[in-house]
């Protein structure tokens, strides 16, 4: 039975006995019967609430009703003075019970889990809050106080081997994690006996005292988280280093961090913990590797630039040659037209001569050079008269 159910049951029992005492001592009256039934009904309704505030109000009403019942019972037999004495004693008894409950009931902070073990059966259960019933002497004991607030670890993974020359000097990783299953956290850590004894010795405490200290669990869980995260980081980086160089890995560190966290969680969930955030803060490599990578990148950029320039030059040459060919064609046409005007018969030899002349002469507006340096007509070729 939880402490809340035990408290509600005790309050209702006190209320019922007090109303029953009032009903039996008082003169039978429909009003008293109605009020007793009404008060008990309201008490039952309030008892269904899971709020400690409502339970506190119900307890206060029960105390008042019990004082009335004690007062009526004492006045019928002890007189006024006896009634005052009985009421005083009853009040002191209730106060003593309340003080004992406050001392022995375990308050449960929201950010910690308290594990209680039965010394006879060995079973371990989680204390139910926000307050728990006092442990039964010689039968129950607190064995662990585990933090439920968010924890974090900063680890440095050094000398990560990968495909040469991609070795990394160190990677700094930040992990935020939280205990999601306190029972697993207390029992699921690998080699927990040796790890707990070693850490308790470092804290100058025996193991039982250390387990009841949240700092002990912070350090124990942190050591295990660093170990698991380092192994997963090495494995993920080694696999990715074959496809990416270290600069690309640094640029894609958010994706790599997500992959590391997804692979890390199945391991840490075995001992009741879950990584909520994992970040790669920095990647440190040999500067010579960076220079080599930059040189390779510079060579690739230079090769691409030269290819672009070569294509541009080829386009320009094609354009220039095309323009020159067009101009030469126009010149040849002009020469042939001039020969026709001069009455020269157009033969292959004459045409070849005109082409050669076009490559040497500079044609201007009215073809003055043609008149200054007339074409030599091959022997045997008779010019036609101009019609």
């Amino acid at each position: 039975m939880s402490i809340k159910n035990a408290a509600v049951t005790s309050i209702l029992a006190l209320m019922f006995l007090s109303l029953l005492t009032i009903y039996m001592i008082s003169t039978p009256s429909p009003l008293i019967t109605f009020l007793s039934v009404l008060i008990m009904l309201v008490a039952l309704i309030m008892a269904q609430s899971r709020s400690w505030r409502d339970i506190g109000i119900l307890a206060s009403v029960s105390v008042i009703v019990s004082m009335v019942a004690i007062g009526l019972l004492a006045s019928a037999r002890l007189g006024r003075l006896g009634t005052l004495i009985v009421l005083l004693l009853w009040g002191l008894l209730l106060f003593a019970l309340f003080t004992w409950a406050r001392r022995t009931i375990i308050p449960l902070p929201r950010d910690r889990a308290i594990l209680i073990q039965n010394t006879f059966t060995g079973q371990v259960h989680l204390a139910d809050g926000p307050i728990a019933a006092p442990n039964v002497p010689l039968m129950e004991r607190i064995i662990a106080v585990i933090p439920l607030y968010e924890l974090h670890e900063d680890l440095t993974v050094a000398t990560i081997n990968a495909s040469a020359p991609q070795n990394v000097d160190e990677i700094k990783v930040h992990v935020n994690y939280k205990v999601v299953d306190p029972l697993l956290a207390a029992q699921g850590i690998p080699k927990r006996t040796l790890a707990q004894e070693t850490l308790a010795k470092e804290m100058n405490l025996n193991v039982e005292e250390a387990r009841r200290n949240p700092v002990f669990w912070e350090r124990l869980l942190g050591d295990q988280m660093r170990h698991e995260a380092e192994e997963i980081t090495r494995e993920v980086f080694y696999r990715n280093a074959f496809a990416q160089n270290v600069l690309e890995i640094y640029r894609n560190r958010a994706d790599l961090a997500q992959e590391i966290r997804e692979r890390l969680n199945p391991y840490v969930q075995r001992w009741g913990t879950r990584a909520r955030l994992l970040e790669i803060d920095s990647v440190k490599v040999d500067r010579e590797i960076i220079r080599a990578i930059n040189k390779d990148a510079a060579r690739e950029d230079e090769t691409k630039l030269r290819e672009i320039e070569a294509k541009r030059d080829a386009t320009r040459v094609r354009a220039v040659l095309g323009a020159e060919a067009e101009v030469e064609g126009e010149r040849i046409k002009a020469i042939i037209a001039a020969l026709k005007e001069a009455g020269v018969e157009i033969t292959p030899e004459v045409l070849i001569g005109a082409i050669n002349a076009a490559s040497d002469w500079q044609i201007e507006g009215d073809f003055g050079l043609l008149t200054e340096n007339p074409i030599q007509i091959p022997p045997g070729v008779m010019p036609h008269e101009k019609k």
Side-chain angles (χ1 to χ4, degrees):
M1 180 182 294
S2 68
I3 182 62
K4 186 173 291 187
N5 292 335
V8 170
T9 301
S10 301
I11 292 169
L12 289 177
L14 177 62
M15 178 74 75
F16 176 76
L17 292 175
S18 300
L19 291 175
L20 181 62
T21 301
I22 294 172
Y23 177 78
M24 294 181 65
I25 292 177
S26 302
T27 304
S29 169
L31 180 60
I32 294 177
T33 303
F34 172 76
L35 291 177
S36 299
V37 173
L38 179 62
I39 293 173
M40 197 64 202
L41 179 62
V42 172
L44 289 172
I45 293 174
M46 293 184 65
Q48 302 303 314
S49 173
R50 306 304 298 173
S51 170
W52 280 102
R53 178 177 176 275
D54 294 342
I55 295 175
I57 295 174
L58 181 60
S60 300
V61 174
S62 297
V63 169
I64 295 173
V65 174
S66 68
M67 296 290 286
V68 173
I70 292 296
L72 291 175
L73 183 61
S75 63
R77 299 186 179 184
L78 303 177
R80 180 174 297 179
L81 181 60
T83 301
L84 293 176
I85 294 174
V86 170
L87 288 175
L88 180 60
L89 293 176
W90 179 248
L92 291 175
L93 177 61
L94 293 177
F95 180 77
L97 290 174
F98 178 75
T99 304
W100 172 82
R102 290 193 60 183
R103 275 200 320 267
T104 56
I105 288 176
I106 304 172
L108 300 179
R110 296 179 180 272
D111 60 350
R112 298 177 188 180
I114 297 179
L115 302 185
I116 300 175
Q117 183 183 45
N118 188 303
T119 56
F120 289 97
T121 64
Q123 293 182 346
V124 178
H125 68 275
L126 187 65
D128 187 19
I131 61 175
N135 295 330
V136 179
L138 303 177
M139 291 187 61
E140 293 180 329
R141 64 190 182 96
I142 298 175
I143 62 169
V145 179
I146 298 178
L148 297 179
Y149 43 84
E150 190 167 86
L151 305 172
H152 66 88
E153 287 296 326
D154 294 309
L155 62 144
T156 300
V157 186
T159 315
I160 302 177
N161 296 322
S163 57
Q166 301 295 327
N167 296 340
V168 174
D169 293 340
E170 68 176 28
I171 291 180
K172 291 186 177 181
V173 180
H174 176 80
V175 186
N176 286 357
Y177 62 100
K178 192 173 184 180
V179 175
V180 295
D181 190 334
L183 293 175
L184 278 180
Q187 303 175 4
I189 293 179
K191 298 181 180 179
R192 65 178 183 273
T193 301
L194 178 60
Q196 291 179 11
E197 290 178 353
T198 302
L199 183 55
K201 186 176 180 180
E202 293 178 2
M203 298 177 64
N204 295 322
L205 298 171
N206 61 52
V207 176
E208 291 187 0
E209 291 176 342
R211 287 171 60 91
R212 293 193 291 268
N213 188 340
V215 176
F216 170 82
W217 293 102
E218 289 182 16
R219 295 179 57 180
L220 186 66
L221 296 173
D223 290 342
Q224 188 64 31
M225 177 61 72
R226 282 195 300 271
H227 173 74
E228 301 279 5
E230 180 175 350
E231 293 297 322
I232 299 298
T233 300
R234 288 182 182 276
E235 183 179 347
V236 170
F237 177 82
Y238 183 84
R239 190 179 67 256
N240 282 274
F242 284 99
Q244 308 177 47
N245 60 48
V246 291
L247 293 180
E248 291 173 335
I249 285 177
Y250 181 77
R251 297 189 190 103
N252 300 329
R253 63 188 183 278
D255 295 334
L256 291 177
Q258 178 68 15
E259 181 180 352
I260 293 172
R261 188 176 70 86
E262 291 176 353
R263 298 195 59 185
L264 177 64
N265 272 327
Y267 288 90
V268 301
Q269 284 176 352
R270 295 176 303 172
W271 36 278
T273 309
R274 182 174 181 82
R276 302 165 65 92
L277 173 68
L278 188 144
E279 296 176 329
I280 297 177
D281 293 333
S282 66
V283 179
K284 183 180 180 181
V285 298
D286 189 346
R287 292 185 178 180
E288 294 300 326
I289 296 178
I290 298 296
R291 292 193 185 98
I293 294 174
N294 289 335
K295 286 181 181 179
D296 292 339
R299 291 193 191 99
E300 293 179 1
D301 293 341
E302 184 178 358
T303 301
K304 292 180 181 179
L305 180 61
R306 288 181 178 179
E307 290 178 356
I308 294 172
E309 291 179 350
K311 291 179 181 179
R312 187 184 300 117
D313 291 341
T315 303
R316 184 169 59 251
V317 168
R318 285 196 297 268
V320 171
L321 290 178
E324 289 180 352
E326 185 177 352
V327 171
E328 291 298 323
E330 293 297 329
R331 289 178 180 176
I332 293 171
K333 288 181 181 179
I335 292 173
I336 293 173
L339 291 175
K340 288 182 177 181
E341 289 290 333
V344 178
E345 183 181 359
I346 304 301
T347 64
E349 291 82 1
V350 172
L351 185 60
I352 292 173
I355 293 173
N356 292 333
S359 63
D360 296 331
W361 296 346
Q362 299 293 325
I363 306 298
E364 294 184 357
D366 59 351
F367 309 103
L369 292 179
L370 286 175
T371 58
E372 294 178 4
N373 299 290
I375 298 175
Q376 298 295 326
I377 301 175
V381 179
M382 297 300 293
H384 294 280
E385 293 184 356
K386 188 175 183 180
K387 295 182 181 180

